Amino acid sequence: MTDVSFVRSEMLPEKAPPLSTTGPVGWLRENLFSSVANSVMTVITLVAIYQVLAVFFSWAFQSTWEAESLSQCREIFAATGVEGAHGGACWGVIRERFSQLIFGFYPVELRWRPVLTFLLLLAAIAPVLFTWAPRKLLYLTAVFPFLGAWLLWGGAIWNPLVAMAGFAIGFFAYRFVSGAFGPLIGVICAALAPVIWWIFLAGPVAGLLTSIIPLGIEAVESRNFGGFMLSITIGVVAIGASLPLGIVLALGRQSDLFIVKSLCVGFIEFIRGVPLITLLFVASTLLNIFMPPGTNFDIILRVMIMVTLFASAYMAEVIRGGLAALPTGQYEAADALGLDYWKAQRLIIMPQALKISIPGIVSTFIGVFKDTTLVSIIGLLDPLGLSNAIRADQDWNGIVWELYGFIALMFFIFCFSMSRYSMYLERKLQTGHR
């Protein structure tokens, strides 16, 4: 009997999608040429980009690296037929002043110390940023702030050791006081004891130990710091210290204790309501007034403190947003498990809040690193401050774009790297369904 049914008895093989909807052609049609208006805007934009890039590459690659002054650049351009006095880039200024833009006026024979510090920094942050890094490097992470400061500024070995002792004093103060008077009093004593030690006792103790056993390396004054070394130093300290301070301020702002909440709210709102440049002027001129007589408070240290406090106030609001975005059920689950406040924050609440806040945290970090250029206004020779000093030289008077272009490129590399890491971390911690 002949089968005359219209129902197919087997599945047809799948066919490849049309070429116009897949691959580069499909992407172009969907994103750039999806409509007449979109196509017109794409063509206009491409023409504008071509015009800009053509001029830029013509200027950047019709250049010279050999000149030792701006006048020599112009002579070389005239001899090679480059039209106009500024028809090509005079990269000779970068070649001649590269080490100064990186290290400032740091002694040449001691520049191995900031290089070593930067390499140790990369090793110290590796276990914090990446899970594949050896966990033993966390010991280096713990001591790096003191080791790095000692390598950069030099001096007696007892200075970083005495500074480290402050944290040990705070730990033991918490252990002894919290057992007798409760955890709140213990936390207050743990915060006050190191501050008292650092301000009033650390200096005399370090001086006494140095007089007994004089061990150390050659000291370098802060006025020799400059260039990207100064920007990275201030940026790393502000970024590293503002995150834990921001967490403490965010938790304090949500505290049920009226005094704690009022202090945190007042600090956050005051700092966020004052421009950073104002705080830097306070650090450079007024902060010594509030210190004990005879205290020599390093200008770079003062700037680090002010930039850190400024960043921590913004960080607190970012983290508070993450805490507010967390479902109430997470707090109820922590209570149902019988966890106390600190265990709930450490194991359940804060990890999720930080995950939610990753874009805002990294954005704050990038902003802080870029804001380090403001220190040039108070006389510190960061890359922008050095560029002004270089242009004041008679040999390079009048050169602008090459210096600013190089500085912009270096800042872009650092900031773009932080942005890429943020996206990597978000993908790594992605647990929801899209």
Short mmCIF file of all heavy atoms in Angstrom, two decimals, residues 77-142:
data_model
loop_
_atom_site.label_atom_id
_atom_site.label_comp_id
_atom_site.label_asym_id
_atom_site.label_seq_id
_atom_site.Cartn_x
_atom_site.Cartn_y
_atom_site.Cartn_z
N PHE A 77 62.92 68.69 11.24
CA PHE A 77 61.70 68.67 10.43
C PHE A 77 61.89 69.49 9.15
O PHE A 77 61.42 69.10 8.08
CB PHE A 77 60.52 69.23 11.24
CG PHE A 77 60.11 68.35 12.39
CD1 PHE A 77 59.55 68.89 13.53
CD2 PHE A 77 60.28 66.98 12.32
CE1 PHE A 77 59.17 68.09 14.59
CE2 PHE A 77 59.91 66.16 13.37
CZ PHE A 77 59.36 66.72 14.51
N ALA A 78 62.57 70.62 9.26
CA ALA A 78 62.80 71.45 8.08
C ALA A 78 63.69 70.73 7.08
O ALA A 78 63.49 70.82 5.86
CB ALA A 78 63.42 72.78 8.49
N ALA A 79 64.70 70.00 7.59
CA ALA A 79 65.62 69.29 6.69
C ALA A 79 64.95 68.10 6.01
O ALA A 79 65.29 67.75 4.87
CB ALA A 79 66.84 68.81 7.48
N THR A 80 63.98 67.46 6.70
CA THR A 80 63.31 66.29 6.12
C THR A 80 62.05 66.65 5.35
O THR A 80 61.38 65.76 4.82
CB THR A 80 62.94 65.30 7.24
OG1 THR A 80 62.16 65.98 8.25
CG2 THR A 80 64.20 64.73 7.89
N GLY A 81 61.71 67.93 5.29
CA GLY A 81 60.57 68.36 4.49
C GLY A 81 59.23 68.27 5.16
O GLY A 81 58.20 68.34 4.50
N VAL A 82 59.21 68.09 6.48
CA VAL A 82 57.94 68.08 7.21
C VAL A 82 57.41 69.50 7.27
O VAL A 82 58.10 70.42 7.74
CB VAL A 82 58.12 67.50 8.62
CG1 VAL A 82 56.80 67.55 9.38
CG2 VAL A 82 58.64 66.08 8.54
N GLU A 83 56.20 69.71 6.81
CA GLU A 83 55.65 71.05 6.72
C GLU A 83 55.29 71.59 8.09
O GLU A 83 54.74 70.88 8.92
CB GLU A 83 54.41 71.06 5.82
CG GLU A 83 54.69 70.66 4.38
CD GLU A 83 53.43 70.71 3.53
OE1 GLU A 83 52.37 71.05 4.10
OE2 GLU A 83 53.51 70.41 2.34
N GLY A 84 55.60 72.86 8.30
CA GLY A 84 55.20 73.54 9.54
C GLY A 84 56.16 73.24 10.67
O GLY A 84 56.83 72.21 10.73
N ALA A 85 56.23 74.16 11.61
CA ALA A 85 57.12 73.98 12.76
C ALA A 85 56.66 72.85 13.66
O ALA A 85 57.47 72.22 14.33
CB ALA A 85 57.21 75.29 13.55
N HIS A 86 55.37 72.60 13.69
CA HIS A 86 54.83 71.56 14.55
C HIS A 86 54.22 70.44 13.69
O HIS A 86 53.25 69.81 14.08
CB HIS A 86 53.77 72.13 15.49
CG HIS A 86 54.30 73.22 16.36
ND1 HIS A 86 55.07 72.99 17.48
CD2 HIS A 86 54.20 74.57 16.27
CE1 HIS A 86 55.40 74.13 18.05
NE2 HIS A 86 54.87 75.12 17.33
N GLY A 87 54.84 70.17 12.55
CA GLY A 87 54.29 69.14 11.68
C GLY A 87 54.57 67.74 12.12
O GLY A 87 54.01 66.79 11.58
N GLY A 88 55.48 67.54 13.08
CA GLY A 88 55.79 66.21 13.58
C GLY A 88 55.97 66.24 15.08
O GLY A 88 56.13 67.30 15.70
N ALA A 89 55.96 65.06 15.67
CA ALA A 89 56.10 64.95 17.12
C ALA A 89 57.57 64.95 17.49
O ALA A 89 58.38 64.26 16.88
CB ALA A 89 55.44 63.67 17.62
N CYS A 90 57.90 65.70 18.50
CA CYS A 90 59.29 65.79 18.98
C CYS A 90 59.42 64.88 20.21
O CYS A 90 59.37 65.34 21.36
CB CYS A 90 59.63 67.24 19.34
SG CYS A 90 61.36 67.48 19.76
N TRP A 91 59.55 63.57 19.94
CA TRP A 91 59.63 62.61 21.04
C TRP A 91 60.97 62.63 21.74
O TRP A 91 61.18 61.88 22.70
CB TRP A 91 59.35 61.20 20.51
CG TRP A 91 57.98 61.02 19.94
CD1 TRP A 91 57.67 60.69 18.66
CD2 TRP A 91 56.73 61.16 20.63
NE1 TRP A 91 56.31 60.61 18.49
CE2 TRP A 91 55.70 60.90 19.68
CE3 TRP A 91 56.37 61.48 21.93
CZ2 TRP A 91 54.36 60.95 20.02
CZ3 TRP A 91 55.03 61.53 22.26
CH2 TRP A 91 54.04 61.26 21.32
N GLY A 92 61.89 63.44 21.28
CA GLY A 92 63.17 63.55 21.95
C GLY A 92 63.05 63.97 23.40
O GLY A 92 63.86 63.58 24.24
N VAL A 93 62.02 64.75 23.73
CA VAL A 93 61.82 65.18 25.10
C VAL A 93 61.50 63.98 25.99
O VAL A 93 61.93 63.92 27.16
CB VAL A 93 60.71 66.24 25.18
CG1 VAL A 93 59.36 65.67 24.74
CG2 VAL A 93 60.60 66.81 26.60
N ILE A 94 60.77 62.99 25.47
CA ILE A 94 60.47 61.79 26.24
C ILE A 94 61.73 60.96 26.43
O ILE A 94 61.99 60.43 27.52
CB ILE A 94 59.36 60.97 25.56
CG1 ILE A 94 58.11 61.84 25.33
CG2 ILE A 94 59.01 59.75 26.39
CD1 ILE A 94 57.52 62.41 26.60
N ARG A 95 62.52 60.83 25.36
CA ARG A 95 63.76 60.06 25.48
C ARG A 95 64.70 60.69 26.49
O ARG A 95 65.29 59.99 27.32
CB ARG A 95 64.43 59.97 24.11
CG ARG A 95 65.77 59.22 24.10
CD ARG A 95 66.47 59.37 22.78
NE ARG A 95 66.71 60.76 22.44
CZ ARG A 95 67.74 61.47 22.93
NH1 ARG A 95 68.59 60.91 23.75
NH2 ARG A 95 67.91 62.73 22.57
N GLU A 96 64.83 62.00 26.46
CA GLU A 96 65.78 62.68 27.33
C GLU A 96 65.29 62.75 28.77
O GLU A 96 66.08 62.63 29.72
CB GLU A 96 66.04 64.10 26.81
CG GLU A 96 67.08 64.85 27.64
CD GLU A 96 67.36 66.24 27.08
OE1 GLU A 96 67.03 66.47 25.89
OE2 GLU A 96 67.88 67.09 27.82
N ARG A 97 63.99 62.93 28.98
CA ARG A 97 63.46 63.13 30.34
C ARG A 97 62.66 61.93 30.83
O ARG A 97 61.90 62.06 31.78
CB ARG A 97 62.59 64.38 30.37
CG ARG A 97 63.32 65.67 29.98
CD ARG A 97 64.45 65.96 30.94
NE ARG A 97 65.11 67.21 30.64
CZ ARG A 97 64.84 68.36 31.23
NH1 ARG A 97 63.91 68.42 32.15
NH2 ARG A 97 65.50 69.45 30.90
N PHE A 98 62.83 60.77 30.21
CA PHE A 98 62.02 59.61 30.59
C PHE A 98 62.26 59.22 32.05
O PHE A 98 61.31 59.02 32.82
CB PHE A 98 62.33 58.43 29.68
CG PHE A 98 61.59 57.17 30.04
CD1 PHE A 98 60.27 56.99 29.67
CD2 PHE A 98 62.22 56.17 30.77
CE1 PHE A 98 59.58 55.84 30.00
CE2 PHE A 98 61.53 55.01 31.12
CZ PHE A 98 60.22 54.85 30.73
N SER A 99 63.52 59.09 32.44
CA SER A 99 63.81 58.68 33.81
C SER A 99 63.31 59.71 34.81
O SER A 99 62.85 59.35 35.91
CB SER A 99 65.32 58.47 33.98
OG SER A 99 66.03 59.66 33.69
N GLN A 100 63.34 60.99 34.44
CA GLN A 100 62.83 62.02 35.34
C GLN A 100 61.31 61.94 35.47
O GLN A 100 60.77 62.12 36.56
CB GLN A 100 63.25 63.40 34.84
CG GLN A 100 62.93 64.52 35.81
CD GLN A 100 63.39 65.88 35.31
OE1 GLN A 100 63.70 66.04 34.14
NE2 GLN A 100 63.44 66.85 36.20
N LEU A 101 60.62 61.65 34.37
CA LEU A 101 59.17 61.50 34.44
C LEU A 101 58.76 60.29 35.26
O LEU A 101 57.67 60.26 35.83
CB LEU A 101 58.59 61.38 33.02
CG LEU A 101 58.58 62.67 32.19
CD1 LEU A 101 58.24 62.36 30.74
CD2 LEU A 101 57.58 63.67 32.76
N ILE A 102 59.61 59.28 35.33
CA ILE A 102 59.28 58.08 36.10
C ILE A 102 59.69 58.23 37.56
O ILE A 102 58.92 57.92 38.47
CB ILE A 102 59.98 56.84 35.48
CG1 ILE A 102 59.50 56.63 34.04
CG2 ILE A 102 59.69 55.60 36.32
CD1 ILE A 102 58.03 56.36 33.91
N PHE A 103 60.92 58.70 37.82
CA PHE A 103 61.47 58.71 39.18
C PHE A 103 61.56 60.10 39.80
O PHE A 103 61.92 60.21 40.98
CB PHE A 103 62.88 58.10 39.17
CG PHE A 103 62.91 56.67 38.73
CD1 PHE A 103 63.35 56.32 37.46
CD2 PHE A 103 62.51 55.67 39.59
CE1 PHE A 103 63.39 55.00 37.06
CE2 PHE A 103 62.54 54.33 39.19
CZ PHE A 103 62.98 54.00 37.92
N GLY A 104 61.27 61.15 39.07
CA GLY A 104 61.45 62.48 39.62
C GLY A 104 62.93 62.77 39.81
O GLY A 104 63.75 62.54 38.92
N PHE A 105 63.28 63.27 41.00
CA PHE A 105 64.67 63.59 41.31
C PHE A 105 65.27 62.58 42.28
O PHE A 105 66.21 62.88 43.01
CB PHE A 105 64.76 65.00 41.90
CG PHE A 105 64.31 66.06 40.94
CD1 PHE A 105 63.02 66.60 41.01
CD2 PHE A 105 65.15 66.52 39.94
CE1 PHE A 105 62.60 67.57 40.12
CE2 PHE A 105 64.74 67.49 39.05
CZ PHE A 105 63.46 68.01 39.13
N TYR A 106 64.72 61.37 42.27
CA TYR A 106 65.26 60.30 43.11
C TYR A 106 66.70 60.03 42.69
O TYR A 106 67.00 59.97 41.50
CB TYR A 106 64.42 59.04 42.95
CG TYR A 106 64.44 58.12 44.13
CD1 TYR A 106 63.54 58.27 45.18
CD2 TYR A 106 65.36 57.07 44.22
CE1 TYR A 106 63.54 57.41 46.26
CE2 TYR A 106 65.38 56.22 45.30
CZ TYR A 106 64.47 56.39 46.32
OH TYR A 106 64.49 55.55 47.41
N PRO A 107 67.64 59.87 43.64
CA PRO A 107 69.06 59.67 43.28
C PRO A 107 69.24 58.52 42.29
O PRO A 107 68.66 57.44 42.46
CB PRO A 107 69.71 59.36 44.63
CG PRO A 107 68.84 60.03 45.64
CD PRO A 107 67.45 59.93 45.10
N VAL A 108 70.03 58.75 41.26
CA VAL A 108 70.19 57.77 40.19
C VAL A 108 70.74 56.46 40.73
O VAL A 108 70.27 55.37 40.35
CB VAL A 108 71.11 58.34 39.09
CG1 VAL A 108 71.35 57.30 38.00
CG2 VAL A 108 70.52 59.61 38.50
N GLU A 109 71.72 56.54 41.62
CA GLU A 109 72.35 55.31 42.11
C GLU A 109 71.44 54.51 43.04
O GLU A 109 71.74 53.35 43.36
CB GLU A 109 73.64 55.66 42.86
CG GLU A 109 73.46 56.43 44.15
CD GLU A 109 73.31 57.94 43.94
OE1 GLU A 109 73.20 58.36 42.76
OE2 GLU A 109 73.31 58.69 44.94
N LEU A 110 70.31 55.09 43.46
CA LEU A 110 69.38 54.40 44.36
C LEU A 110 68.06 54.04 43.68
O LEU A 110 67.13 53.60 44.37
CB LEU A 110 69.10 55.28 45.59
CG LEU A 110 70.30 55.65 46.46
CD1 LEU A 110 69.85 56.54 47.61
CD2 LEU A 110 70.99 54.41 47.00
N ARG A 111 67.98 54.20 42.38
CA ARG A 111 66.70 53.95 41.72
C ARG A 111 66.33 52.47 41.66
O ARG A 111 65.21 52.13 41.30
CB ARG A 111 66.73 54.54 40.30
CG ARG A 111 66.61 56.05 40.31
CD ARG A 111 66.69 56.67 38.94
NE ARG A 111 66.55 58.12 39.02
CZ ARG A 111 66.71 58.96 38.01
NH1 ARG A 111 67.03 58.48 36.81
NH2 ARG A 111 66.57 60.26 38.18
N TRP A 112 67.27 51.62 42.03
CA TRP A 112 66.93 50.20 42.12
C TRP A 112 65.92 49.97 43.24
O TRP A 112 65.16 48.98 43.21
CB TRP A 112 68.19 49.38 42.38
CG TRP A 112 68.89 49.69 43.67
CD1 TRP A 112 69.88 50.61 43.87
CD2 TRP A 112 68.63 49.09 44.96
NE1 TRP A 112 70.26 50.63 45.19
CE2 TRP A 112 69.53 49.71 45.87
CE3 TRP A 112 67.76 48.12 45.42
CZ2 TRP A 112 69.55 49.36 47.22
CZ3 TRP A 112 67.79 47.77 46.75
CH2 TRP A 112 68.66 48.39 47.65
N ARG A 113 65.89 50.87 44.22
CA ARG A 113 64.96 50.68 45.33
C ARG A 113 63.51 50.87 44.93
O ARG A 113 62.66 50.02 45.24
CB ARG A 113 65.35 51.61 46.48
CG ARG A 113 66.54 51.06 47.27
CD ARG A 113 67.30 52.06 48.08
NE ARG A 113 66.49 52.95 48.88
CZ ARG A 113 67.00 53.86 49.72
NH1 ARG A 113 68.31 53.97 49.86
NH2 ARG A 113 66.20 54.65 50.41
N PRO A 114 63.12 51.96 44.23
CA PRO A 114 61.72 52.02 43.76
C PRO A 114 61.36 50.94 42.76
O PRO A 114 60.22 50.46 42.73
CB PRO A 114 61.61 53.42 43.15
CG PRO A 114 62.99 53.90 42.95
CD PRO A 114 63.83 53.22 43.99
N VAL A 115 62.33 50.50 41.93
CA VAL A 115 62.05 49.40 41.00
C VAL A 115 61.76 48.12 41.78
O VAL A 115 60.79 47.40 41.49
CB VAL A 115 63.24 49.20 40.03
CG1 VAL A 115 63.02 47.94 39.19
CG2 VAL A 115 63.40 50.42 39.13
N LEU A 116 62.59 47.83 42.79
CA LEU A 116 62.36 46.66 43.62
C LEU A 116 61.04 46.77 44.38
O LEU A 116 60.30 45.78 44.51
CB LEU A 116 63.52 46.49 44.61
CG LEU A 116 63.41 45.33 45.61
CD1 LEU A 116 63.30 44.00 44.89
CD2 LEU A 116 64.59 45.34 46.58
N THR A 117 60.72 47.96 44.84
CA THR A 117 59.45 48.16 45.55
C THR A 117 58.27 47.87 44.64
O THR A 117 57.28 47.24 45.06
CB THR A 117 59.36 49.60 46.08
OG1 THR A 117 60.48 49.86 46.92
CG2 THR A 117 58.09 49.82 46.86
N PHE A 118 58.34 48.32 43.38
CA PHE A 118 57.25 48.07 42.44
C PHE A 118 57.11 46.57 42.16
O PHE A 118 55.98 46.05 42.09
CB PHE A 118 57.50 48.84 41.15
CG PHE A 118 56.40 48.70 40.14
CD1 PHE A 118 55.19 49.35 40.30
CD2 PHE A 118 56.57 47.91 39.02
CE1 PHE A 118 54.16 49.21 39.38
CE2 PHE A 118 55.56 47.77 38.08
CZ PHE A 118 54.36 48.42 38.26
N LEU A 119 58.22 45.87 42.01
CA LEU A 119 58.15 44.42 41.78
C LEU A 119 57.57 43.70 42.99
O LEU A 119 56.76 42.77 42.86
CB LEU A 119 59.54 43.89 41.46
CG LEU A 119 60.17 44.39 40.15
CD1 LEU A 119 61.58 43.84 39.99
CD2 LEU A 119 59.30 44.02 38.95
N LEU A 120 57.98 44.13 44.18
CA LEU A 120 57.41 43.53 45.40
C LEU A 120 55.92 43.85 45.52
O LEU A 120 55.14 43.03 46.02
CB LEU A 120 58.16 44.05 46.63
CG LEU A 120 59.60 43.56 46.80
CD1 LEU A 120 60.25 44.23 48.00
CD2 LEU A 120 59.64 42.04 46.95
N LEU A 121 55.52 45.04 45.06
CA LEU A 121 54.10 45.38 45.06
C LEU A 121 53.30 44.42 44.20
O LEU A 121 52.23 43.93 44.60
CB LEU A 121 53.92 46.81 44.57
CG LEU A 121 52.48 47.26 44.29
CD1 LEU A 121 51.65 47.26 45.57
CD2 LEU A 121 52.45 48.64 43.63
N LEU A 122 53.81 44.13 43.00
CA LEU A 122 53.11 43.19 42.12
C LEU A 122 53.00 41.81 42.78
O LEU A 122 51.96 41.15 42.70
CB LEU A 122 53.85 43.08 40.79
CG LEU A 122 53.92 44.36 39.94
CD1 LEU A 122 54.70 44.10 38.66
CD2 LEU A 122 52.53 44.89 39.63
N ALA A 123 54.07 41.37 43.45
CA ALA A 123 54.03 40.08 44.13
C ALA A 123 53.09 40.11 45.33
O ALA A 123 52.42 39.11 45.64
CB ALA A 123 55.44 39.67 44.58
N ALA A 124 53.01 41.26 46.01
CA ALA A 124 52.18 41.35 47.22
C ALA A 124 50.69 41.37 46.89
O ALA A 124 49.87 40.82 47.64
CB ALA A 124 52.55 42.60 48.01
N ILE A 125 50.31 42.01 45.78
CA ILE A 125 48.88 42.08 45.45
C ILE A 125 48.42 40.87 44.64
O ILE A 125 47.21 40.68 44.47
CB ILE A 125 48.55 43.37 44.67
CG1 ILE A 125 49.27 43.38 43.30
CG2 ILE A 125 48.91 44.59 45.48
CD1 ILE A 125 48.90 44.56 42.45
N ALA A 126 49.35 40.05 44.16
CA ALA A 126 48.95 38.88 43.35
C ALA A 126 48.01 37.94 44.11
O ALA A 126 46.96 37.55 43.57
CB ALA A 126 50.19 38.15 42.85
N PRO A 127 48.33 37.53 45.36
CA PRO A 127 47.40 36.62 46.05
C PRO A 127 46.08 37.26 46.43
O PRO A 127 45.10 36.56 46.71
CB PRO A 127 48.18 36.19 47.30
CG PRO A 127 49.14 37.31 47.53
CD PRO A 127 49.51 37.81 46.17
N VAL A 128 46.02 38.58 46.44
CA VAL A 128 44.77 39.28 46.75
C VAL A 128 43.87 39.33 45.52
O VAL A 128 42.63 39.22 45.62
CB VAL A 128 45.06 40.70 47.27
CG1 VAL A 128 43.76 41.45 47.56
CG2 VAL A 128 45.92 40.63 48.52
N LEU A 129 44.47 39.48 44.34
CA LEU A 129 43.71 39.67 43.12
C LEU A 129 43.42 38.37 42.37
O LEU A 129 42.41 38.27 41.68
CB LEU A 129 44.45 40.63 42.18
CG LEU A 129 44.75 42.03 42.73
CD1 LEU A 129 45.46 42.85 41.67
CD2 LEU A 129 43.47 42.72 43.16
N PHE A 130 44.30 37.37 42.50
CA PHE A 130 44.18 36.16 41.70
C PHE A 130 44.26 34.93 42.60
O PHE A 130 45.12 34.84 43.48
CB PHE A 130 45.28 36.10 40.64
CG PHE A 130 45.31 37.29 39.72
CD1 PHE A 130 46.26 38.28 39.89
CD2 PHE A 130 44.38 37.43 38.71
CE1 PHE A 130 46.30 39.39 39.07
CE2 PHE A 130 44.39 38.53 37.87
CZ PHE A 130 45.36 39.51 38.05
N THR A 131 43.38 33.96 42.33
CA THR A 131 43.35 32.75 43.14
C THR A 131 44.49 31.80 42.81
O THR A 131 44.83 30.93 43.61
CB THR A 131 42.01 32.02 42.93
OG1 THR A 131 41.82 31.76 41.52
CG2 THR A 131 40.85 32.86 43.43
N TRP A 132 45.10 31.95 41.61
CA TRP A 132 46.18 31.04 41.24
C TRP A 132 47.50 31.40 41.90
O TRP A 132 48.45 30.61 41.87
CB TRP A 132 46.37 31.03 39.73
CG TRP A 132 46.47 32.38 39.08
CD1 TRP A 132 45.48 33.06 38.43
CD2 TRP A 132 47.64 33.22 39.03
NE1 TRP A 132 45.95 34.28 37.99
CE2 TRP A 132 47.26 34.40 38.33
CE3 TRP A 132 48.93 33.11 39.50
CZ2 TRP A 132 48.15 35.44 38.10
CZ3 TRP A 132 49.83 34.15 39.28
CH2 TRP A 132 49.43 35.29 38.58
N ALA A 133 47.60 32.57 42.48
CA ALA A 133 48.85 32.99 43.12
C ALA A 133 49.08 32.19 44.40
O ALA A 133 48.13 31.85 45.11
CB ALA A 133 48.82 34.48 43.43
N PRO A 134 50.33 31.85 44.73
CA PRO A 134 50.61 31.10 45.96
C PRO A 134 50.12 31.84 47.20
O PRO A 134 50.33 33.03 47.36
CB PRO A 134 52.15 30.98 45.96
CG PRO A 134 52.55 31.18 44.53
CD PRO A 134 51.55 32.12 43.95
N ARG A 135 49.47 31.09 48.10
CA ARG A 135 48.93 31.70 49.31
C ARG A 135 50.03 32.17 50.26
O ARG A 135 49.79 33.06 51.10
CB ARG A 135 48.04 30.70 50.04
CG ARG A 135 46.80 30.27 49.29
CD ARG A 135 45.82 31.42 49.11
NE ARG A 135 45.98 32.11 47.84
CZ ARG A 135 45.31 33.19 47.50
NH1 ARG A 135 44.44 33.72 48.34
NH2 ARG A 135 45.51 33.76 46.33
N LYS A 136 51.21 31.61 50.13
CA LYS A 136 52.30 32.04 51.01
C LYS A 136 52.71 33.48 50.77
O LYS A 136 53.33 34.11 51.63
CB LYS A 136 53.50 31.11 50.82
CG LYS A 136 53.27 29.69 51.34
CD LYS A 136 54.53 28.85 51.21
CE LYS A 136 54.30 27.45 51.77
NZ LYS A 136 55.52 26.60 51.64
N LEU A 137 52.36 34.02 49.59
CA LEU A 137 52.67 35.41 49.31
C LEU A 137 51.88 36.38 50.19
O LEU A 137 52.19 37.57 50.23
CB LEU A 137 52.41 35.73 47.83
CG LEU A 137 53.41 35.16 46.82
CD1 LEU A 137 52.98 35.47 45.40
CD2 LEU A 137 54.81 35.72 47.09
N LEU A 138 50.86 35.87 50.88
CA LEU A 138 50.09 36.73 51.78
C LEU A 138 50.96 37.26 52.92
O LEU A 138 50.67 38.33 53.48
CB LEU A 138 48.88 35.98 52.34
CG LEU A 138 47.76 35.70 51.33
CD1 LEU A 138 46.69 34.81 51.95
CD2 LEU A 138 47.13 37.02 50.86
N TYR A 139 52.01 36.53 53.29
CA TYR A 139 52.94 37.05 54.29
C TYR A 139 53.63 38.30 53.76
O TYR A 139 53.82 39.28 54.49
CB TYR A 139 53.98 35.99 54.66
CG TYR A 139 53.39 34.78 55.36
CD1 TYR A 139 53.24 33.57 54.71
CD2 TYR A 139 52.98 34.87 56.70
CE1 TYR A 139 52.70 32.47 55.34
CE2 TYR A 139 52.43 33.77 57.35
CZ TYR A 139 52.31 32.57 56.66
OH TYR A 139 51.76 31.49 57.30
N LEU A 140 54.01 38.27 52.48
CA LEU A 140 54.59 39.45 51.85
C LEU A 140 53.57 40.58 51.79
O LEU A 140 53.92 41.76 52.00
CB LEU A 140 55.11 39.12 50.46
CG LEU A 140 55.65 40.29 49.63
CD1 LEU A 140 56.84 40.93 50.33
CD2 LEU A 140 56.03 39.83 48.23
N THR A 141 52.31 40.24 51.51
CA THR A 141 51.25 41.25 51.47
C THR A 141 51.13 41.97 52.82
O THR A 141 50.92 43.18 52.86
CB THR A 141 49.92 40.59 51.10
OG1 THR A 141 50.05 39.86 49.88
CG2 THR A 141 48.83 41.64 50.94
N ALA A 142 51.28 41.22 53.91
CA ALA A 142 51.12 41.81 55.24
C ALA A 142 52.26 42.75 55.58
O ALA A 142 52.05 43.80 56.22
CB ALA A 142 51.02 40.70 56.28
#
